[in-house]
Amino acid sequence: ERRKSLGLCITCGKPSPSQVVCVTCSERTSRWLKSKIEKSRLAGLCTACHKKPVKKGRKMCSQCLKRLSEHAAKARAHHEEIGTCNQCGGERLPERKLCKECNDCLKEQYKTHKKNGLCVYCGTSPAVNGLIHCAKCKEYVRAKGKESYRRLRDEVFNAYGGYICKCCREREEAF
């Protein structure tokens, strides 16, 4: 804390006015971390905890993947709350969840996956029968679409006084 408050690198103590760590220490740490990740990858271990074995085609163990997913969900919720880009924290496009750069990047990724015959959602499995999704993502996207439709339908009905049958005045959704 003392070094940080004096504008010094917290690792070596050299002047570092705009950063917590000087460029030299930052580069050294980056090289060390890349080396450790590569060693774990070659050994078939999780690239996050460097301890547990991973399934074929994966980089992280299920526990680290779950922790990363939870962290990402919290970050997205935070960005949503303060109105910034869900990917980088930059200024959002109007009526969107992403900034221009992240939106353009996502569009390019979509085009690349589609051109290569991969699922545009996950980018790992081949798309099914000339469609744009693999079987697993197709079901997921379909379920999300149904849920979105149901929410919109409920919103519309509630705007008009709720579910009311015209002939018997029943208020159940089934009518």
Side-chain angles (χ1 to χ4, degrees), residues 64-133:
C64 289
L65 201 56
K66 183 181 177 190
R67 192 175 67 242
L68 179 68
S69 179
E70 289 169 353
H71 176 74
K74 285 179 185 176
R76 279 193 305 275
H78 174 71
H79 287 302
E80 185 73 33
E81 189 178 302
I82 62 174
T84 57
C85 173
N86 284 1
Q87 297 278 333
C88 69
E91 188 177 332
R92 279 185 183 182
L93 288 170
E95 304 296 320
R96 299 298 304 261
K97 293 184 178 186
L98 302 173
C99 65
K100 180 166 177 25
E101 292 79 19
C102 292
N103 193 52
D104 291 346
C105 183
L106 217 54
K107 281 181 182 179
E108 197 57 43
Q109 186 180 28
Y110 176 95
K111 288 177 188 175
T112 304
H113 289 328
K114 189 173 180 180
K115 186 177 86 180
N116 294 332
L118 296 173
C119 171
V120 297
Y121 197 80
C122 68
T124 55
S125 303
V128 179
N129 299 334
L131 300 175
I132 60 170
H133 298 293

